[in-house]
């Protein structure tokens, strides 16, 4: 019998850590090892993640190198800036998968501008569907999971840019549920503030995910790429709907655009181009490791318009982590992951 893969999850009391555990419970090759937290250490996991019934009696341990040592894989679901020190204390025999932002950006100047502090470096980027990242991730020992907005924004426009159908002048408007901001208590995320309300934030190119989207798209385009990104907060718990548009190249039709996307994603298990005329909706991907897409052409404005949806906690974070775990360990990439959403 093949031995189990022991996986520890640091930051297990948060939304991302909880979603990682939910998915790992369904993984046929995984044995869940240590579950750790910061301020919640010492609490039973079930008090904070009551939906994880098989793990409810587990006591959250402190996030220390000693606790995380000895596992095959460590998944870090920690606040930005905390992953580097933890990873440095783990040997190369451990696969470390970081769900935070610490190792996503390759440009130290971009890190300093959008996050501040010292740049920790860049790890292999965990978006298998982008360029040749899948080959990079196979057998990788350190992996940076993409941000949720960059995942859906990148996959929604990359085929058009790669095929030369558009100018490299991209506009992204993406509406997200409140879980994308994490579990920490914040006044603007209270139910009385969010219900019945939609709002824009980080307007004018200031959102931290902007340089990550640019970095991704530069992998499929030879030259500079401009991205204007406006995020919206809408009253739902999870999910992102991104509308991405750009000026069309001469002569490009809606059929050309659809054909380019169909070709780009024909063999991708977790990216689904909907039939012509059917538009993505967030409830279709809730709990699933999938991105649903549609694309068309605005003939009057001469712009390509593509819409993508993702569950920010699944394919946008935890599902990507498990997908990368599978690739790093030489497993079937789809193991333990579902394409079936929960609706309504």
């Amino acid at each position: 019998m093949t031995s189990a893969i022991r996986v520890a999850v640091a930051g297990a009391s948060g939304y991302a850590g909880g979603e990682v555990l939910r998915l790992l419970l369904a993984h046929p090759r995984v044995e869940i090892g240590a579950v750790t937290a910061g301020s919640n250490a010492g609490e039973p996991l079930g008090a904070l993640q009551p939906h994880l019934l098989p793990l409810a009696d587990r006591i959250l341990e402190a996030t220390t190198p000693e606790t995380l040592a000895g596992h095959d894989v460590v998944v870090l679901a920690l606040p930005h800036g905390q992953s580097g020190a933890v990873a440095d204390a783990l040997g190369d025999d451990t696969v470390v998968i970081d769900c935070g932002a610490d190792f996503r950006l390759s440009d130290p100047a971009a890190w300093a501008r959008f996050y501040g502090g010292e740049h920790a470096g860049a790890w292999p980027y965990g978006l298998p569907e982008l360029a040749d990242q899948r080959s990079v991730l196979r057998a990788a020992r350190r992996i940076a999971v993409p941000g949720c907005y960059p995942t859906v924004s990148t996959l929604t426009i990359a085929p058009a840019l790669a095929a030369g159908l558009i100018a490299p002048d991209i506009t992204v408007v993406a509406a997200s549920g409140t879980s994308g901001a994490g579990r920490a208590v914040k006044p603007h995320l209270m139910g009385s503030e969010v219900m019945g309300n939609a709002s824009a934030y980080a307007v004018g190119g200031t959102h931290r995910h902007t340089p990550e989207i640019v970095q991704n798209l530069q992998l499929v385009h030879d030259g500079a790429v401009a991205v204007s990104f406006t995020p919206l907060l809408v009253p739902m718990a999870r999910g992102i709907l991104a509308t991405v548009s750009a000026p069309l190249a001469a002569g490009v039709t809606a059929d050309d655009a659809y054909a380019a996307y169909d070709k780009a994603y024909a063999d991708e298990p977790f990216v689904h181009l909907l039939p012509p005329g059917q538009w993505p909706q967030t409830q279709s991907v809730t709990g699933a490791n999938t991105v649903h897409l549609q694309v068309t052409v605005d003939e009057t404005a001469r712009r390509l318009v593509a819409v993508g949806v993702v569950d920010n906690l699944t394919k946008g974070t935890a599902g990507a982590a498990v997908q990368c775990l599978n690739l790093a360990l030489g497993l079937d990439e789809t193991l333990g992951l579902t394409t079936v959403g929960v609706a309504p």
Side-chain angles (χ1 to χ4, degrees), residues 46-110:
L48 298 160
Q49 307 280 20
H51 62 297
L52 301 176
L53 284 177
L55 303 173
D57 295 333
R58 293 282 197 96
I59 301 301
L60 288 162
E61 301 179 70
T63 303
T64 66
E66 294 76 19
T67 300
L68 299 176
H71 293 82
D72 300 303
V73 180
V74 173
V75 179
L76 304 177
L78 303 174
H80 299 321
Q82 296 187 14
S83 297
V86 176
D88 287 344
L90 299 172
D92 291 340
D93 56 333
T94 301
V95 174
V96 182
I97 300 175
D98 184 22
C99 294
D102 292 22
F103 299 97
R104 294 173 188 163
L105 296 180
S106 59
D107 182 3

Side-chain angles (χ1 to χ4, degrees), residues 236-252:
M236 60 185 183
R238 55 201 289 168
I240 298 174
L241 186 147
T243 301
V244 190
S245 66
L248 278 170
V252 174

Side-chain angles (χ1 to χ4, degrees), residues 5-213:
I5 299 161
R6 296 194 71 240
V7 181
V9 177
S13 61
Y15 288 142
E19 185 75 350
V20 170
L21 289 170
R22 182 182 75 85
L23 297 175
L24 291 179
L25 282 168
H27 198 296
R29 292 288 308 279
V30 164
E31 172 191 331
I32 296 173
V35 289
T36 79
S39 60
N40 290 312
E43 294 289 324
L45 182 63
L48 298 160
Q49 307 280 20
H51 62 297
L52 301 176
L53 284 177
L55 303 173
D57 295 333
R58 293 282 197 96
I59 301 301
L60 288 162
E61 301 179 70
T63 303
T64 66
E66 294 76 19
T67 300
L68 299 176
H71 293 82
D72 300 303
V73 180
V74 173
V75 179
L76 304 177
L78 303 174
H80 299 321
Q82 296 187 14
S83 297
V86 176
D88 287 344
L90 299 172
D92 291 340
D93 56 333
T94 301
V95 174
V96 182
I97 300 175
D98 184 22
C99 294
D102 292 22
F103 299 97
R104 294 173 188 163
L105 296 180
S106 59
D107 182 3
W111 175 268
R113 176 184 172 190
F114 286 88
Y115 290 91
E118 185 177 352
H119 183 234
W123 288 356
Y125 189 73
L127 190 57
E129 299 86 357
L130 175 64
D132 63 346
Q133 288 304 110
R134 186 171 276 111
S135 62
V136 173
L137 295 169
R138 290 192 175 99
R141 310 307 290 175
R142 299 288 189 270
I143 296 172
V145 174
C148 50
Y149 280 128
T151 293
V152 64
S153 301
T154 299
L155 296 179
T156 299
I157 200 63
L161 188 60
L165 305 184
I166 56 173
D169 184 6
I170 314 296
T171 298
V172 181
V173 179
S176 175
T178 57
S179 61
R183 198 167 192 172
V185 177
K186 302 177 181 71
H188 72 286
L189 298 179
M190 293 171 55
S192 56
E193 300 291 335
V194 174
M195 289 186 296
N197 185 41
S199 59
Y201 66 101
V203 179
T206 61
H207 195 280
R208 289 174 165 181
H209 285 173
T210 303
E212 190 179 338
I213 300 170

